[in-house]
Amino acid sequence: SQQGEEDPQALSIQEGENATMNCSYKTSINNLQWYRQNSGRGLVHLILIRSNEREKHSGRLRVTLDTSKKSSSLLITASRAADTASYFCATDVSGTSYGKLTFGQGTILTVHP
Amino acid sequence: EPEVTQTPSHQVTQMGQEVILRCVPISNHLYFYWYRQILGQKVEFLVSFYNNEISEKSEIFDDQFSVERPDGSNFTLKIRSTKLEDSAMYFCARGLAGGGNEQFFGPGTRLTVL
């Protein structure tokens, strides 16, 4: 498997439900970041969690990080149709100084109104 | 957050031609990056640029690619002799203060090589 793999590959939910996406990685990291990408558009930074943090919140987003399992999850609560997008995790691998990010394949989230 | 702008938004070129993709980040940022995303695939790191020098590059970033910051503000990615497989979205990103921090991406340039 590759550094930064998300599951599920696709998630379809109803508005108001919670959406959980997972990311696994293989090597030690400085931090893990989540990005959103609307179809054909640029990447929007959502949240960064550092390797010494376990949980972080930002609005309706909650990110957890388990470095022992090399995994992270992104929870979007009370989803809205506007949350429909692809979500990527990206790892900043330990041992590098310049912030190179390694992205996963992404989870395609569809929120039905 | 201040924006990163990229031009052009879409570039169509013939195979073998040279293209220059431009990025205009905030001028006082030191860390810049280029990534690409082939349609339907994941985002791939190409190169990082710190203090006007390449700090790291991927295997993708071969001799046909080059980056520079010619006037201290614009940040360019040049592809000397484009191939069909270079067709992708190319994203410029800036880092606030170097490794370990958020990266803010531009809207991308869609490159189509015919």
Side-chain angles (χ1 to χ4, degrees):
Chain A
S1 58
Q2 299 176 10
Q3 180 81 351
E5 289 191 346
E6 292 95 339
D7 78 88
Q9 290 186 329
L11 181 61
S12 182
I13 60 174
Q14 295 293 319
E15 212 166 27
E17 295 180 341
N18 295 341
T20 299
M21 290 160 269
N22 303 296
C23 170
S24 60
Y25 58 92
K26 295 183 73 64
T27 61
S28 296
I29 59 172
N30 293 320
N31 64 67
L32 185 145
Q33 306 182 32
W34 285 90
Y35 288 82
R36 184 186 75 221
Q37 184 180 38
N38 289 84
S39 180
R41 307 289 293 276
L43 293 151
V44 176
H45 184 269
L46 296 176
I47 199 163
L48 178 153
I49 187 164
R50 302 193 186 280
S51 60
N52 61 352
E53 297 176 309
R54 292 297 167 258
E55 188 170 311
K56 206 162 182 181
H57 296 254
S58 177
R60 294 184 296 112
L61 305 180
R62 182 171 77 98
V63 169
T64 62
L65 180 65
D66 186 335
T67 53
S68 66
K69 295 180 179 179
K70 292 186 169 57
S71 67
S72 173
S73 67
L74 171 67
L75 168 67
I76 304 174
T77 60
S79 62
R80 305 166 182 167
D83 295 329
T84 294
S86 293
Y87 291 82
F88 297 90
C89 69
T91 52
D92 180 351
V93 175
S94 297
T96 63
S97 303
Y98 300 106
K100 164 189 169 183
L101 293 178
T102 301
F103 283 80
Q105 292 279 8
T107 293
I108 300 171
L109 174 65
T110 303
V111 181
H112 300 281
Chain B
E1 288 292 338
E3 292 184 354
V4 175
T5 59
Q6 290 185 244
T7 60
S9 57
H10 191 187
Q11 174 92 44
V12 180
T13 190
Q14 295 291 324
M15 190 170 56
Q17 295 296 305
E18 175 182 285
V19 295
I20 297 177
L21 311 182
R22 292 185 171 81
C23 172
V24 185
I26 302 300
S27 60
N28 60 347
H29 286 93
L30 295 177
Y31 295 84
F32 307 105
Y33 311 85
W34 283 100
Y35 294 83
R36 79 172 185 189
Q37 184 181 31
I38 295 171
L39 184 64
Q41 298 188 23
K42 62 182 180 180
V43 177
E44 301 174 289
F45 169 80
L46 291 177
V47 65
S48 59
F49 195 75
Y50 165 67
N51 205 22
N52 294 324
E53 292 184 350
I54 290 175
S55 52
E56 188 174 4
K57 58 184 181 180
S58 72
E59 294 176 351
I60 302 168
F61 196 87
D62 59 22
D63 290 344
Q64 71 164 337
F65 291 92
S66 62
V67 290
E68 60 180 18
R69 200 175 181 200
D71 57 7
S73 59
N74 290 329
F75 179 47
T76 63
L77 174 69
K78 181 189 291 185
I79 309 175
R80 290 190 184 84
S81 179
T82 50
K83 305 170 189 172
L84 295 177
E85 55 264 38
D86 293 328
S87 294
M89 283 288 286
Y90 288 81
F91 295 105
C92 168
R94 63 170 175 84
L96 283 172
N101 292 282
E102 297 93 336
Q103 290 181 24
F104 296 94
F105 284 72
T109 292
R110 180 172 298 282
L111 176 65
T112 302
V113 182
L114 302 176

